[in-house]
Amino acid sequence: MGHLASNMAPLAALAGGAVIGLAATGLMLLLGQIAGISGMITGLLTPVAAEWPWRGSFIAGLLSGGLVWALIDPSVFGHIPRPLPLVAVAGLIVGYGVSTGGGCTSGHGVCGISRLSRRSIAATCTFMAFGIATATLWRVLVGAVR
Amino acid sequence: MLAAFACGLVFALGLGLSGMTHPGRILGFLDVFGTWDPTLVFTMAGAIGVHMPLYWLTVRRRAPVLAPRFALPTKRDLDAKLLGGSALFGVGWALGGFCPGPALVSVFGGRSDNFVFLIALVCGMALRKLGTVPAVAQAGRT
């Protein structure tokens, strides 16, 4: 076992998480939809037009939130500490993976676990386990993870 | 649709506040046996701690405020697609440090590596859909 990073920000993380939880609750209470971001993007790529307006609006909201952060505090964004070709491969794998697995950290992780969904709990344990295994392999074979 | 927009906006503010838009932080979280950064545990605890009780209160209603019914998944079986796809996602997550939400929110951060990740992410999803969409269209016709 290693040691803890020195630049943790547990309170901001807890508060940010609570805000995410509120946003997910808002979407369920108002529109009855699960806040699954990969499903929304994937949905916009498929010809089921009835779902486009709310999915498109949520994603426009996400992008606008990013614009707000860019204006008030661009330090929330960060560099990906990997060579560019690997960044592209990572993006492809994540896109293909979440489309196949039917969700990511938001839909399976936050919403699915809150709903006590068996599938989402299994999915979250799986991507956490494979993420940790990959990061560990990277450190052993390549060097510093970040 | 203003409701969905507002929820997306708040969601993005939460992602930024929690540190999820820093790929280095996510990579540090997944490096459990190295210099571990447990920040994401607090994000998940905050999100689930708030959403779980409020979700169960919400679905006691007959219907959502602005829609005729709740759209909830009914599948319960654990299949190869769910687990294989999630395993792939985990591998990609540990290589790039982004999941889909933070990748979208970071577009305005102005970093070319963030942008490359997002474009590749959408291509990966499209690649997956190329296999399934023609089948769905076919089924719709018959």
Side-chain angles (χ1 to χ4, degrees):
Chain A
M1 204 67 174
H3 50 287
L4 292 181
S6 55
N7 64 337
M8 310 162 34
L11 283 181
L14 198 63
V19 172
I20 292 171
L22 279 178
T25 304
L27 193 67
M28 182 55 68
L29 176 64
L30 295 170
L31 297 174
Q33 296 288 349
I34 289 171
I37 293 171
S38 50
M40 291 183 209
I41 311 175
T42 310
L44 291 176
L45 300 173
T46 52
V48 189
E51 305 270 344
W52 281 352
W54 78 265
R55 285 179 164 150
S57 303
F58 189 96
I59 287 177
L62 273 178
L63 292 172
S64 306
L67 188 58
V68 170
W69 276 120
L71 295 173
I72 60 171
D73 183 9
S75 73
V76 300
F77 302 114
H79 163 70
I80 303 175
R82 295 284 185 269
L84 214 48
L86 187 60
V87 168
V89 171
L92 271 176
I93 296 177
V94 170
Y96 194 88
V98 295
S99 282
T100 308
C104 55
T105 350
S106 52
H108 278 321
V110 175
C111 298
I113 290 180
S114 294
R115 296 192 303 110
L116 302 175
S117 149
R118 229 178 117 214
R119 280 171 58 86
S120 290
I121 292 169
T124 306
C125 291
T126 305
F127 65 67
M128 288 286 179
F130 275 79
I132 290 168
T134 306
T136 304
L137 265 179
W138 179 278
R139 192 166 37 75
V140 170
L141 299 176
V142 185
V145 169
R146 54 175 181 148
Chain B
M1 291 311 99
L2 196 63
F5 179 86
C7 292
L9 181 77
V10 174
F11 201 104
L13 296 179
L15 281 175
L17 183 59
S18 67
M20 296 274 288
T21 44
H22 271 291
R25 225 181 238 304
I26 302 300
L27 296 174
F29 164 73
L30 293 173
D31 191 17
V32 173
F33 304 106
T35 307
W36 191 44
D37 182 343
T39 303
L40 185 65
V41 176
F42 291 91
T43 307
M44 288 303 273
I48 294 171
V50 166
H51 189 55
M52 190 184 280
L54 292 180
Y55 167 79
W56 288 103
L57 274 177
T58 300
V59 292
R60 284 170 66 179
R61 297 172 52 96
R62 211 164 295 139
V65 178
L66 302 172
R69 64 188 70 81
F70 291 106
L72 300 173
T74 48
K75 263 201 203 168
R76 284 190 40 80
D77 51 314
L78 308 181
D79 51 32
K81 263 178 66 184
L82 175 82
L83 300 176
S86 298
L88 269 180
F89 166 40
V91 171
W93 198 30
L95 289 177
F98 265 147
C99 47
L104 267 180
V105 172
S106 297
V107 158
F108 292 106
R111 283 181 173 77
S112 54
D113 55 7
N114 288 190
F115 196 68
V116 166
F117 185 93
L118 182 62
I119 298 293
L121 173 88
V122 175
C123 289
M125 290 173 165
L127 206 64
R128 167 73 204 170
K129 286 292 136 186
L130 279 181
T132 51
V133 169
V136 171
Q138 198 90 41
R141 249 179 267 124
T142 53

